[in-house]
Amino acid sequence: RWALPSGYDSVQWLGLGPHEAYPDRQSSAYLGLFASSVEDLHTPYIFPQECGRRADPRWIVFQNRQLGTNLAVIPTPLTTSTNSSDQWGFSASRYSLEALESTAHDFELCEENDRRVHVHVDSKMMGVGGYDSWSPNVDKDFLIKPGGKGQKQMEVSISLFRYSQ
């Protein structure tokens, strides 16, 4: 989790897309090269929450067109897994986790004055569930239980590169 200066407002990635993709909600996503503004990665759910996750990125590039610079992110697992909840993912938002968690409705969200881009690169993600409208029923295959039986520590590596066009 980190924040980039406001100018890095365009994102490209090679991975699943073009829309949100979570381990139990990604069958309609497909592998491709995608581009978006940071603002368009936000999903305006009624109750603000983490959102906009893109799954299985091979690389991610944040572009600052005003400065002509780019920041490339290359997630590299040091261990392999075939479990779909172990897929890498990323999200980028104008809103910090703290802002999302302290706001009751999407229309109440306010960008920070410096308009930073809050970036999250995750090595594992729990499913979202929601198979019905009254319970948060995440299938057991998509749950993450830290320290649970059979859980292994996952090592990760992220490489960052800044370059000009």
Side-chain angles (χ1 to χ4, degrees), residues 1-6 8 71 93 112 114 116-120:
R1 168 180 169 182
W2 68 89
L4 294 173
S6 64
Y8 288 91
L71 178 69
S93 175
E112 296 174 0
D114 59 11
R116 290 182 295 171
V117 175
H118 298 272
V119 179
H120 298 261

Side-chain angles (χ1 to χ4, degrees), residues 42-119:
H42 178 76
T43 304
Y45 292 116
I46 294 171
F47 299 108
Q49 57 193 291
E50 263 190 272
C51 63
R53 180 182 190 266
R54 296 331 196 240
D56 204 17
R58 278 46 169 198
W59 52 259
I60 309 146
V61 173
F62 292 91
Q63 299 172 311
N64 184 323
R65 292 190 174 137
Q66 291 176 336
L67 297 178
T69 61
N70 302 291
L71 178 69
V73 180
I74 303 173
T76 309
L78 300 178
T79 58
T80 58
S81 172
T82 57
N83 185 338
S84 64
S85 66
D86 288 344
Q87 283 184 341
W88 285 87
F90 83 95
S91 62
S93 175
R94 292 284 183 197
Y95 311 111
S96 68
L97 282 181
E98 293 76 15
L100 291 169
E101 292 173 356
S102 66
T103 308
H105 301 94
D106 190 72
F107 71 87
E108 297 171 330
L109 286 169
C110 295
E111 291 181 4
E112 296 174 0
N113 290 336
D114 59 11
R115 300 199 70 226
R116 290 182 295 171
V117 175
H118 298 272
V119 179

